[in-house]
Every structure is written in structure tokens, then in C-alpha cells.
Amino acid sequence: MNAAANDVAGQVRPGVLSLSIKEKSALFAAYMPFIKGGGLFIPTNKQYKMGEEVFMLLTLMDDPAKLPVSGKVVWVTPSGAHGSRTQGVGVQFAFNESGKAAQNKIEGLLGGSLKSVRPTHTM
């Protein structure tokens, strides 16, 4: 879906990002626990602006259910970033039921590894 696509009422729909994470190490690298309410880094070549509203469909580990979560862009890693960082965006989960559910699910899956000092996509 195009982030600038217009709906019937003429309003702009938020961008839709789909992310499937199958391994705990990949989830650790993508999760942003330092963001209030939690967030995820999503590799993408698409350009997003800070504060832009997005909608995510997350598939985590072996759970076949997709987790629908809305949020906003709070981190942008551009193409050619220092240190060969992966291009993409960090999305803060919305402060609602689905955002809290995503944060709880991810933190439950990561458990004690949340305290690790291994590098991630953002820090």
C-alpha cells in the first residue's frame, strides 16, 4: 500500500509496514526498548518522515497470527548511513491496546536478553 494513497474520503492513509521476525536474535536487533511504549526498527528502502503515522503487521517467531500495531516514525536510518547501518525506520508503538500488546509480547519473547549489551539496528 502506498503511504500517500487516498481513501474514499480523501484523507491520506498511513503507510503499512509488514515485518516477519523468525529468530530471537533478529527480534533483539529490531526491538527498541529505550523508546517509551516500545518500538521496532523495520528495514525498508521506502522514505518516511519523522512523526509519520504508520501501520505495522508483525509476525513474531512461530506465532502464525499477525499482530496489527499502529505507531509513528521516531528513528530514520538513511541509505549509506555511517557504520554500514541497515536502512530503515524505527516505529514507536501507539499508546493503545495493540501497542501495549506488541510491547508485552516482544518483551516476553526476549526475556532476560533485554539486558544484553549486544549491538542492535539502532544502538
Side-chain angles (χ1 to χ4, degrees), residues 13-14 16 22 25-26 31 34 51 55-56 76 91 93-94 97 119:
R13 291 181 184 171
V16 175
K22 307 230 180 274
S25 61
Y31 187 56
F34 54 89
F55 185 78
M56 299 171 284
V76 176
V91 178
F93 300 145
E97 193 174 310

Side-chain angles (χ1 to χ4, degrees), residues 37-38 67-70 93-105:
L67 214 58
V69 186
S70 59
F93 300 145
F95 298 109
N96 59 25
E97 193 174 310
S98 66
K100 191 66 177 164
Q103 180 184 20
N104 289 340
K105 172 122 179 142

Side-chain angles (χ1 to χ4, degrees), residues 16-30:
V16 175
L17 297 166
S18 188
L19 183 64
S20 179
I21 298 178
K22 307 230 180 274
E23 298 172 357
K24 191 173 182 177
S25 61
L27 183 59
F28 176 84

Side-chain angles (χ1 to χ4, degrees), residues 77-78 80-87 120-121:
T77 303
H82 178 73
S84 301
R85 293 267 185 200
T86 302
Q87 179 180 355
T120 68
H121 288 303

Side-chain angles (χ1 to χ4, degrees), residues 4 8 17 20 33 36-38 50 52 72 76 80 83 85 87 91 101 108 113-114 123:
V8 179
L17 297 166
S20 179
K36 184 177 179 180
M50 293 292 285
E52 187 171 343
K72 70 177 176 181
V76 176
R85 293 267 185 200
Q87 179 180 355
V91 178
S113 66
L114 277 171
M123 299 288 233

